[in-house]
Structures are given as C-alpha cells and as structure tokens.
Amino acid sequence: MATPSKTPPGADPKQLERTGTVREIGSQAVWSLSSCKPGFGVDQLRDDNLETYWQSDGSQPHLVNIQFRRKTTVKMLCIYADYKSDESYTPSKISVRVGNNFHNLQEVRVRTYTGPTSHIYPPKNSPIRTFMIQVAVLANHQNGRDTHMRQIKIYTPVEESSIGKFPRCTTVDFMMYRTIR
C-alpha cells in the first residue's frame, strides 16, 4: 500500500512501527465517544478494518475521548477518514486537545481539510506527555451533520535502553532461551 499523499516523508506510522521507532498504544487507553449509532462505536474505530467506522449520532462537536491510566508520551495521532466513501460524513475541521482530564484540556492542533483520506497529527511540540487526548470534529464536508471516522491510532516513541543500543528482539528470537534449568 502506498503512503497517502498527505503523509509527510518519513512519517508513515506503519513503516515507523515496523522499524521499531514507534509503537501503537491505543489498547492501553479507555475510549469513549460523545455519541454513536448502534453497531458503529469504539469497537469499529479500533478494529484495524478500514471498511468499518464510527458514526456519530447527535449535534456537533463530535468527540472521541482517549484516557490513559498514567501519563503517556504521544509522538503521533493518526486519524483515517475516507472522503470517497463517506462524502458529507467526512470531517473537514478537527481539533486535537490534550490534558490531565476533561477540565483542563488545551487545544494543540486545529486542522481544516478539503478531502484527503488520512490525517497525521504530530503534536506541535512532539512528543508530548498527557493523560488524555480529545479529538473533536468541529465541521464536516458539505455541512454534514454526523461524522464517520474509520480508524484512530496513537503512537509512542520506543525508548532506547540506558545501557546502550541492543537489537530489537521478537518473541521468536527468545524462544530457544525460554527453558528453565
């Protein structure tokens, strides 16, 4: 699959994940939505399937709240929306806010889009440490009311060992050493 046209060079999250530079941490968070149609909720937003989506059901702004149990370093927030499939349901103006909780969220990015299929939000002072991220859909294309988002991924940088650089080993690499003697 080719890198989407709006992805800056060297910022393809899947490529960075394969090289061990970042890892996806969305599973470590508690997700909530301002509203959703039945069968189109958080599970569809996080299922790694671009054919499924979250569909809001209510007035704007539509919110996705992502809360971590501890302060977490976030390098990149990736949102996938597909204008060709969703037309007026596609977000055109998105705000990203971070903070410790709902009461002290600070806006770190506001973007207006005219039709790309994927959006990557590196925070302005990347990476940032936060307990909470809120993605707010402020407007849709063609003045649509409800919104579709197909995927949201959150990436953190992989920290190097303080002892030095070691090769990144997978479970398979350690299989021969797992026997206890």
Side-chain angles (χ1 to χ4, degrees), residues 110-139:
V110 175
R111 289 262 177 110
T112 303
Y113 292 94
T114 58
T117 55
S118 71
H119 316 297
I120 297 182
Y121 290 96
K124 286 185 180 180
N125 299 322
S126 180
I128 58 172
R129 291 189 46 80
T130 187
F131 280 102
M132 182 174 181
I133 300 170
Q134 184 179 73
V135 178
V137 177
L138 305 176

Side-chain angles (χ1 to χ4, degrees), residues 14-177:
K14 290 294 183 188
Q15 180 63 32
L16 291 173
E17 194 170 20
R18 280 191 293 274
T19 62
T21 307
V22 298
R23 65 186 171 91
E24 209 281 327
I25 55 168
S27 61
Q28 297 174 11
V30 176
W31 293 68
S32 63
L33 305 168
S34 57
S35 65
C36 68
K37 297 246 187 218
F40 296 91
V42 172
D43 292 339
Q44 289 71 33
L45 191 58
R46 296 285 305 150
D47 66 2
D48 288 328
N49 182 353
L50 295 179
E51 299 300 314
T52 61
Y53 51 86
W54 160 55
Q55 181 173 338
S56 63
D57 186 20
S59 59
Q60 290 177 341
H62 305 298
L63 305 174
V64 179
N65 300 303
I66 307 158
Q67 295 176 280
F68 295 97
R69 288 177 177 83
R70 61 181 184 196
K71 204 166 202 177
T72 303
T73 302
V74 175
K75 180 179 176 96
M76 193 181 315
L77 174 69
C78 301
I79 300 170
Y80 186 82
D82 188 355
Y83 181 76
K84 288 181 182 178
S85 298
D86 301 327
E87 294 182 355
S88 67
Y89 288 93
T90 308
S92 64
K93 188 173 185 182
I94 297 175
S95 167
V96 178
R97 306 161 184 163
V98 298
N100 292 332
N101 55 51
F102 286 99
H103 304 291
N104 72 348
L105 292 172
Q106 303 256 326
E107 196 167 75
V108 291
R109 280 292 233 233
V110 175
R111 289 262 177 110
T112 303
Y113 292 94
T114 58
T117 55
S118 71
H119 316 297
I120 297 182
Y121 290 96
K124 286 185 180 180
N125 299 322
S126 180
I128 58 172
R129 291 189 46 80
T130 187
F131 280 102
M132 182 174 181
I133 300 170
Q134 184 179 73
V135 178
V137 177
L138 305 176
N140 289 330
H141 287 280
Q142 302 170 5
N143 295 320
R145 188 181 127 207
D146 290 331
T147 197
H148 286 181
M149 277 192 198
R150 295 187 174 264
Q151 291 293 300
I152 295 181
K153 300 289 183 186
I154 304 163
Y155 293 93
T156 189
V158 174
E159 296 178 14
E160 292 181 15
S161 169
S162 60
I163 299 171
K165 279 193 167 183
F166 288 102
R168 290 188 175 33
C169 301
T170 63
T171 307
V172 175
D173 295 329
F174 287 108
M175 290 291 262
M176 65 180 143
Y177 301 108

Side-chain angles (χ1 to χ4, degrees), residues 1-17:
M1 182 171 110
T3 304
S5 61
K6 289 294 181 178
T7 303
D12 178 15
K14 290 294 183 188
Q15 180 63 32
L16 291 173
E17 194 170 20

